[in-house]
Amino acid sequence: MNDGKAKEQKDGIELEFDLDEPPQKVWRAISIPEFRENWLPKDALADPTPATITPGEEVRYSLRDDAPPFLESTVTFTIVPNATGGTRLRIIHELTDARLDRMAKTPANGNSPTLMLAA
């Protein structure tokens, strides 16, 4: 396996790795719950059932933080054969929480009442 490449996105991160293992083996590691549990525990998932799946190519899971503000996100794993007989694994982790859109659209000096916290 070589070092992965990372590319930052607006609301997430994209990683890409070239693995020595064949695509079938990598697919099992990302799609079979007993194998996936070793590196992506079901406690980190909002739902242990994949949100979407294209067999042998791509699987997407919904995640939810286990601490406030409990943000929701998705992680998508895409695999394709690489030139050396191994696998190119692409991981895209994106924030999808609808609350982020609302916060981004609310101006800092909006018309909502001031919230004061007791000291």
Side-chain angles (χ1 to χ4, degrees):
M1 179 173 106
N2 66 358
D3 290 332
K5 300 176 203 171
K7 182 169 55 171
E8 190 174 339
Q9 298 176 329
K10 179 182 173 198
D11 293 326
I13 189 165
E14 182 179 324
L15 303 166
E16 203 168 271
F17 300 93
D18 277 313
L19 308 173
D20 296 332
E21 301 300 330
Q24 299 83 358
K25 189 170 185 178
V26 176
W27 179 252
R28 288 192 306 267
I30 63 175
S31 65
I32 296 176
E34 294 80 17
F35 297 143
R36 188 212 64 238
E37 183 74 21
N38 290 318
W39 55 273
L40 181 61
K42 67 180 174 187
D43 294 344
L45 301 173
D47 183 353
T49 304
T52 64
I53 190 167
T54 303
E57 297 177 15
E58 182 178 283
V59 62
R60 177 178 293 135
Y61 296 100
S62 297
L63 305 172
R64 183 176 299 119
D65 288 344
D66 61 355
F70 305 107
L71 293 176
E72 295 177 1
S73 60
T74 61
V75 63
T76 304
F77 300 94
T78 305
I79 63 170
V80 294
N82 65 18
T84 62
T87 304
R88 174 152 298 168
L89 172 65
R90 186 176 189 201
I91 305 169
I92 302 171
H93 187 192
E94 299 174 288
L95 285 171
T96 56
D97 200 299
R99 295 173 293 170
L100 294 174
D101 290 336
R102 287 190 300 254
M103 287 189 292
K105 293 176 184 174
T106 304
N109 59 350
N111 294 332
S112 58
T114 304
L115 177 64
M116 299 183 77
L117 301 175

